[in-house]
Amino acid sequence: MLPERFEYQRASSVDDAISRLSRLGDGAKLLAGGHSLIPLMKLRLVTPGVVVDIGRLSELRYIHDAGDHIAIGSLTRHYDLQCSKVLQREVPLLAYVAGLVGDPPVRHRGTIGGSLAHGDPASDLPAAVMALDGRLVVSGSHGKRTLAATDFFRGFWETALTPEEVLTEVQIPKGAAGWAYEKFTRRAFDWAIVGVAVVVTGTTSVQVALANVGPATVRASATEQALRDGASPAEAAGRAVEGLSPSSDVNASSEYRAHLAVVLTGRALERALA
Ligand code: FAD
């Protein structure tokens, strides 16, 4: 299918993108790698009047060691994350998860900023960034703000971004003692039917984030609390969907998703805590 008619504009800098968005309001959409936006436009699920292309802004494509954290520009592609020596050394979970996103064409075009800003609960990188206690730097006409990943994902395709804001940087704290990501798919290049990211930062400090269990990426808070209270990994995994309502779709019923979340959380905890 062809998208609705739209105007194409190319931003020359982050500031230029912000001023265009401020002028155009919610009739405009940023274009990064285009691997989520363009399919939605073709299906006419999203019909922006103007598309503002930021895909060539090299100032937003970097991975830096910033001391206590790794700073990643929002236009860094999945393939760059997968191959980054800095990430493989300091935040291996993120490099590993980037290598599980789609297939090589998707990883060469898709960006970490696009993946997070899109707010699809089935995406892999939001779960990894949330388990890693990542921070998201967002710039708009009123200046910059930094949000915890746990406050960023609000619902299905819904984030804390306002229509005139650009996600510019993702900051990932260093120093995890253990990690694991379990992704269940029917075919290797598919989105997760359920994904579970686990990061261990201390003896009882474990972060667990779930992909595609509900309308937004979420932390498995009951599992995390159970571990803090001294439960075994198996007992804690059993509480993975406590307080959540796993969604139902063509790939999995709610009950099946809940079961998968428990099984995959158990496996991920076992590996991360080994
Ligand atoms: P775009 O499509 O350009 O943009 C997506 C949305 O984010 C748009 O609303 C856009 O306006 C907004 N946006 C983009 N950048 C910014 C920014 N810096 N600031 C504010 N808003 C911004 N993902 C997975 O996680 N796992 C998978 O297994 C997977 N498989 C895929 C398979 C296929 C065949 C395809 C086509 C995609 C797949 N994806 C998968 C999605 C892929 O990772 C996308 O690249 C990603 O979701 C979006 O990144 P993008 O750079 O392409 O963003």
Side-chain angles (χ1 to χ4, degrees), residues 77-155:
R77 296 179 196 272
H78 308 325
Y79 183 74
D80 300 333
L81 302 175
Q82 182 185 356
C83 299
S84 161
K85 295 284 177 247
V86 177
L87 282 188
Q88 287 167 4
R89 188 181 65 240
E90 301 292 350
V91 195
L93 169 66
L94 201 59
Y96 174 76
V97 171
L100 298 180
V101 174
D103 52 15
V106 174
R107 294 198 286 274
H108 278 276
R109 293 295 311 167
T111 65
I112 186 168
S115 181
L116 300 174
H118 183 46
D120 183 343
S123 293
D124 299 293
L125 290 170
V129 170
M130 193 184 267
L132 286 159
D133 265 342
R135 297 180 295 270
L136 280 62
V137 182
V138 163
S139 300
S141 52
H142 302 298
K144 265 189 194 177
R145 56 192 185 119
T146 302
L147 299 161
T150 42
D151 296 329
F152 187 75
F153 303 102
R154 298 277 167 89

Side-chain angles (χ1 to χ4, degrees), residues 130 182 194-198 206-214 216-227 231-247 254-269:
M130 193 184 267
E182 289 288 332
V194 171
V196 181
V198 170
V206 180
Q207 289 106 241
V208 183
L210 304 173
N212 215 9
V213 167
T217 309
V218 282
R219 289 273 282 266
S221 320
T223 293
E224 294 178 350
Q225 185 59 50
L227 289 166
S232 70
E235 285 165 348
R239 299 179 58 186
V241 292
E242 205 173 292
L244 305 175
S245 310
S247 39
S254 175
E255 294 74 21
Y256 182 58
R257 243 191 196 100
H259 173 70
L260 266 182
V262 168
V263 171
L264 298 180
T265 301
R267 285 183 195 163
L269 285 174

Side-chain angles (χ1 to χ4, degrees), residues 21 28-40 46 51-55 60 73-78 97-98 100-103 105-107 109-120 122-126 137-139 152 157 159 161-163 165-169 181 183 185 187-192:
L21 290 180
K29 275 276 181 198
L30 291 177
L31 177 73
H35 268 56
S36 291
L37 182 62
I38 301 294
L40 292 189
V46 176
V51 166
V52 178
D53 187 357
I54 55 169
L60 292 182
S74 60
L75 286 177
T76 305
R77 296 179 196 272
H78 308 325
V97 171
L100 298 180
V101 174
D103 52 15
V106 174
R107 294 198 286 274
R109 293 295 311 167
T111 65
I112 186 168
S115 181
L116 300 174
H118 183 46
D120 183 343
S123 293
D124 299 293
L125 290 170
V137 182
V138 163
S139 300
F152 187 75
W157 294 347
T159 69
L161 280 170
T162 63
E165 284 181 321
V166 180
L167 171 59
T168 50
E169 187 173 276
Y181 187 65
K183 175 176 182 175
T185 57
R187 300 169 302 174
F189 52 88
D190 278 341
W191 273 267

